[in-house]
Amino acid sequence: METHEPRVHAAWLPPEAFRSLGARRVLVHGEGLLVDTVLDEVSRACARYGGRVWHSPSWDVDVDLVLALRGAGELPNPAVEAARSAGEAALAEIGDGEPLGEEGFLLDRDGEVTVVLADAPAGLLYGLFHVVRLCAAAFDPARPPERHRPALRRRMLNHWDNVAVHPVMGQVERGYAGGSIFWRDGRPRGDLARVRAYGRLLAASGVNAISVNNVNVARTEALLLTDRLGDVAEIADALRPYGIRVHLSVSFAAPVLLGGLSTADPLDEGVRDWWVATTRRVYDRIPDFGGYLVKADSEGQPGPFTYGRDHADGANLLAEALAPHGGVVHWRAFVYDHHQDWRDRSTDRARAAYDHFTPLDGRFRTNVVLQVKYGPVDFQTREPVSPVFAAMPATRLALELQVTQEYTGQQRHICHLGPWWGEVLRFAPWGPGGRTIADVAVGEAGAGGGLVAVTNTGDDPFWTGHPLAQANLYTFGRLAWDPWRDPTEVLDEWMTLTFPPSATADPELVRRTLHEIMDDSWRTYERYTAPLGVGFMVHPGDHYGPDVDGYEYSRWGTYHFADRDGVGVDRSRASGTGFAGQYPPYWAQVYESPRTCPDEVLLFFHHVPYSHVLHNGSTVIQHIYDTHFAGVEEVETMRRRWRTLNGMIDPTVYERVAERLDEQVRCATEWRDQVNTYFFRKSGVPDAQGRRIY
Ligand code: GCW
């Protein structure tokens, strides 16, 4: 019997988005694998929309668009050569004398011709996707020249995909979009066309690196490094034409697990030799392999602590093996004690990354990137930004975001994370006006650790389960390219590509409605879930839906300490865990006192009485009630608004979102009622507006 894969949604690259490009006469000049990709993209667009494409050398043809490598030789076409020289002149004028680099490009207009110049093939590909994004505006005669270079060299996604299905976590850990694009039931999934299509989407968003397996590395996954390296090479081959390099999560215990050694001690000669030899074999097979990603001594994963060594010893061991090949180690700072006792008030999970890693600053090799989650705890809807970013000036730090919505509605809820990431990136840990998290990730001369995110994709026909969650993935890529960009502008860009105005009956209505639904959806999610930065009121294990006390007495840490008088975690220096003191002076002082601490993270830093008055004028208890009622109303409004799009957009998208909005309303209502009732019962304080609390 024949089986048919369901039609895969085009996400932000529907054919319609190529209409403007595809109707043009295009010349591609240069050679290379990624130039072939450019050619292929342009050819397909032109075949569909009636344009024409030439690949150098070409003679006297009239063109609308030239995409050329700067180093490629002269062409016997005066108009094209004139456009190229105009581009060169514009570059000399607006540039800083620096080359465009491996990935940068210039876009310019010369009379009737648009010209894209790049130093290297990847730049040409990014330039092409820029032309696609601009649509007709790329051919606007009055368009001034633009130069683009990514702020961050590595813009990486981590897949938490398992090769073998994990008995609890399934095929993809914290995956909400079906199975894995790469793996199924212990084997490669076998659909390399889908992998390639994925690479294409990622390249169009700006991503240039991915790790292909979960950071929790079990037996089968460990083998990817050795016996099953061929499976990784196949993925690398499929992604290479889109400029995406493959990285691998490895087990720190690999020398024991795979090499038959008796130890994985990082200072043991035999262990070092094993990593050197194994890594050499990886590069023999995958010459552009990116490197290793390691979760060590964390949530049961093996690490250097077993051997009495520290994390610099551990990371440097792998870095040394990778260095001759140009590879990097991404070493995760997510190390904490997950065997806590709620009776013990001295352990604070929020302190852990700083306490473990800051003493190691300066000891990591230059090809180690320390990958730090944005907050000190774990991808909550709201946390203060991790103080580690301000505390390790001699280490390359990457900011780790979570695109997969583990704690933010699991792609059943609309929760557009761009605004949150924007806040994190703009946070100035040394105080207002100082350097920001974006600056730290960029580093000096772009040598910082970059941006990394746990992806939200799977083999779901919409890629991300919730069609609107595609915007989170797209936004991540674009912010990784330019972390200073306004996330709302990026969202707008995503809308134009995904719902092309030329294919929509009422484009203005669609755009406005999507903005109304998505722009503030993260704050809406925050309103109906855990209040004031306290976090973690989720159902243990699956992390979906409310369970106020779910973690309160568990070994994973205690998060809210609610009693009849008040709520919150005292993390002050004066009377609490001292976490507030991990920040540089400005924020240490602001966070130290409930009087100065910003409302949105008040309960992260302080245990306060329910009658405590917030900066917004409300008491804590009334704020809890108000936000929970408001949050549910906002979700109901979202659903009403979505219904106005019925018949305007792709019906499969419409239906999938409509279905999920029903669940979002149900779940938000559950959150509201459980949280409000919980705090009403604890505090005995009635709602000032007399609304129904159960
Ligand atoms: O958020 C927690 C998740 C784990 C995850 C871990 C991590 C991959 O609940 O599922 O494990 O973080 O970041 O390593």
Side-chain angles (χ1 to χ4, degrees):
M1 202 179 77
E2 231 185 310
T3 56
H4 288 288
E5 290 272 339
R7 196 173 62 90
V8 175
H9 186 251
W12 51 84
L13 292 181
E16 187 67 25
F18 289 77
R19 178 181 286 277
S20 170
L21 168 76
R24 295 324 207 267
R25 298 160 301 176
V26 186
L27 179 91
V28 179
H29 183 36
E31 303 295 331
L33 181 65
L34 275 73
V35 178
D36 293 343
T37 307
V38 170
L39 206 51
D40 176 55
E41 290 287 342
V42 177
S43 306
R44 278 193 288 158
C46 289
R48 182 179 276 261
Y49 293 109
R52 285 200 62 184
V53 55
W54 295 271
H55 187 202
S56 51
S58 67
W59 294 263
D60 234 354
V61 291
D62 288 331
V63 297
D64 308 301
L65 172 66
V66 181
L67 295 140
L69 285 184
R70 291 175 74 200
E74 219 172 283
L75 285 177
N77 180 325
V80 168
E81 283 307 314
R84 286 177 74 189
S85 334
E88 288 295 340
L91 186 59
E93 204 175 308
I94 64 168
D96 48 13
E98 295 283 320
L100 290 165
E102 280 299 304
E103 303 183 308
F105 61 89
L106 171 101
L107 181 113
D108 188 28
R109 284 285 300 178
D110 176 50
E112 295 294 292
V113 182
T114 297
V115 58
V116 173
L117 297 180
D119 289 342
L124 219 52
L125 182 63
Y126 290 121
L128 170 75
F129 285 127
H130 188 62
V131 169
V132 172
R133 275 193 297 272
L134 291 173
C135 302
F139 302 94
D140 176 354
R143 195 167 184 89
E146 308 162 38
R147 193 199 54 167
H148 297 266
R149 272 186 318 210
L152 299 164
R153 272 187 217 157
R154 199 170 301 94
R155 308 175 296 277
M156 183 177 189
L157 285 175
N158 291 168
H159 279 258
W160 285 356
D161 298 17
N162 298 313
V163 179
V165 176
H166 184 278
V168 180
M169 292 297 169
Q171 188 76 70
V172 180
E173 179 152 353
R174 310 306 179 184
Y176 312 104
S180 163
I181 295 170
F182 307 120
W183 318 106
R184 184 186 277 164
D185 293 332
R187 312 220 55 79
R189 184 166 173 275
D191 184 356
L192 290 168
R194 181 88 192 253
V195 174
R196 187 180 156 102
Y198 183 50
R200 177 170 180 256
L201 284 175
L202 295 187
S205 81
V207 166
N208 68 356
I210 65 168
S211 58
V212 295
N213 64 306
N214 191 357
V215 289
N216 290 328
V217 183
R219 176 85 212 162
T220 312
E221 291 72 23
L223 288 167
L224 294 176
L225 179 61
T226 52
D227 303 27
R228 302 184 66 166
L229 185 60
D231 299 344
V232 182
E234 273 191 348
I235 297 173
D237 290 344
L239 295 176
R240 190 171 294 114
Y242 284 96
I244 293 164
R245 291 170 76 167
V246 163
H247 297 236
L248 205 55
S249 298
V250 296
S251 167
F252 193 75
V256 178
L257 286 176
L258 309 173
L261 305 191
S262 59
T263 178
D265 182 349
L267 301 192
D268 180 279
E269 273 308 312
V271 169
R272 292 163 87 149
D273 293 346
W274 187 85
W275 279 109
V276 167
T278 302
T279 305
R280 192 183 312 120
R281 279 194 292 274
V282 171
Y283 279 90
D284 285 345
R285 192 74 196 263
I286 311 171
D288 57 352
F289 180 70
Y292 300 139
L293 167 62
V294 191
K295 171 176 177 178
D297 292 313
S298 169
E299 299 184 334
Q301 290 297 303
F305 287 164
T306 311
Y307 309 98
R309 313 296 183 197
D310 64 32
H311 279 232
D313 297 327
N316 289 343
L317 165 76
L318 305 190
E320 191 184 276
L322 288 159
H325 313 282
V328 289
V329 183
H330 283 82
W331 191 268
R332 295 181 82 226
F334 183 61
V335 178
Y336 72 102
D337 176 6
H338 70 289
H339 289 106
Q340 298 176 36
D341 184 337
W342 61 271
R343 298 166 193 86
D344 165 21
R345 298 286 294 249
S346 67
T347 317
D348 178 8
R349 178 174 172 183
R351 294 190 55 116
Y354 182 102
D355 286 345
H356 282 299
F357 286 96
T358 56
L360 305 178
D361 189 34
R363 288 208 24 231
F364 293 100
R365 290 186 59 124
T366 50
N367 61 331
V368 174
V369 170
L370 188 66
Q371 188 170 312
V372 185
K373 288 190 181 183
Y374 60 77
V377 177
D378 193 7
F379 296 141
Q380 298 304 290
T381 311
R382 174 85 73 168
E383 290 183 43
V385 173
S386 170
V388 172
F389 291 106
M392 300 190 68
T395 306
R396 296 171 70 194
L397 299 174
L399 172 67
E400 182 179 315
L401 300 171
Q402 198 183 39
V403 186
T404 194
Q405 289 172 240
E406 175 177 4
Y407 295 99
T408 50
Q410 305 200 345
Q411 283 134 257
R412 287 186 252 180
H413 297 219
I414 296 169
C415 182
H416 181 59
L417 293 163
W420 175 215
W421 299 334
E423 277 192 29
V424 170
L425 286 162
R426 283 187 177 80
F427 179 72
W430 290 276
R435 291 176 67 223
T436 62
I437 298 299
D439 295 322
V440 174
V442 170
E444 299 296 326
L451 244 69
V452 182
V454 185
T455 190
N456 62 351
T457 37
D459 70 355
D460 168 69
F462 292 98
W463 298 96
T464 53
H466 201 304
L468 302 187
Q470 291 172 1
N472 280 328
L473 185 64
Y474 183 79
T475 302
F476 167 74
R478 300 294 285 147
L479 290 180
W481 180 281
D482 178 1
W484 296 284
R485 262 196 87 188
D486 173 2
T488 306
E489 213 181 278
V490 175
L491 182 60
D492 205 61
E493 197 178 279
W494 171 81
M495 284 174 194
T496 309
L497 287 168
T498 308
F499 302 92
S502 51
T504 312
D506 188 344
E508 262 327 295
L509 175 72
V510 172
R511 182 187 301 274
R512 185 168 17 92
T513 307
L514 286 169
H515 274 296
E516 284 167 350
I517 289 173
M518 296 174 77
D519 284 1
D520 209 34
S521 55
W522 160 62
R523 287 196 181 79
T524 293
Y525 186 84
E526 181 183 32
R527 284 181 198 114
Y528 63 76
T529 57
L532 298 165
V534 76
F536 258 108
M537 290 182 173
V538 289
H539 190 258
D542 70 7
H543 296 167
Y544 186 73
D547 188 343
V548 180
D549 277 339
Y551 275 102
E552 205 59 8
Y553 307 99
S554 88
R555 63 196 178 97
W556 298 88
T558 297
Y559 300 98
H560 66 69
F561 296 102
D563 58 22
R564 65 175 189 173
D565 301 316
V567 55
V569 189
D570 185 353
R571 292 189 164 108
S572 68
R573 270 169 302 164
S575 52
T577 68
F579 167 74
Q582 291 185 340
Y583 291 85
Y586 177 87
W587 287 108
Q589 207 180 339
V590 167
Y591 290 145
E592 178 66 14
S593 158
R595 275 188 305 104
T596 46
C597 185
D599 288 349
E600 60 271 16
V601 287
L602 179 69
L603 302 184
F604 193 94
F605 285 100
H606 297 284
H607 186 88
V608 297
Y610 293 117
S611 58
H612 175 91
V613 179
L614 299 167
H615 296 119
N616 70 15
S618 183
T619 60
V620 165
I621 190 72
Q622 193 56 42
H623 176 89
I624 293 176
Y625 299 151
D626 289 348
T627 49
H628 284 77
F629 283 114
V632 173
E633 279 169 25
E634 287 160 20
V635 179
E636 282 165 348
T637 307
M638 279 181 186
R639 179 166 65 175
R640 256 199 320 280
R641 290 195 163 124
W642 182 257
R643 287 179 179 156
T644 65
L645 297 186
N646 196 2
M648 295 268 173
I649 57 170
D650 177 347
T652 65
V653 172
Y654 177 80
E655 283 307 327
R656 175 70 76 96
V657 174
E659 210 174 86
R660 294 199 175 206
L661 272 163
D662 289 342
E663 166 56 15
Q664 186 169 2
V665 170
R666 186 207 63 76
C667 186
T669 306
E670 193 63 39
W671 269 102
R672 176 194 69 194
D673 292 339
Q674 286 201 26
V675 171
N676 282 349
T677 296
Y678 180 94
F679 285 103
F680 175 59
R681 286 188 189 165
K682 285 266 168 182
S683 69
V685 180
D687 171 32
Q689 293 191 45
R691 288 163 293 194
R692 176 143 199 200
I693 294 178
Y694 295 86

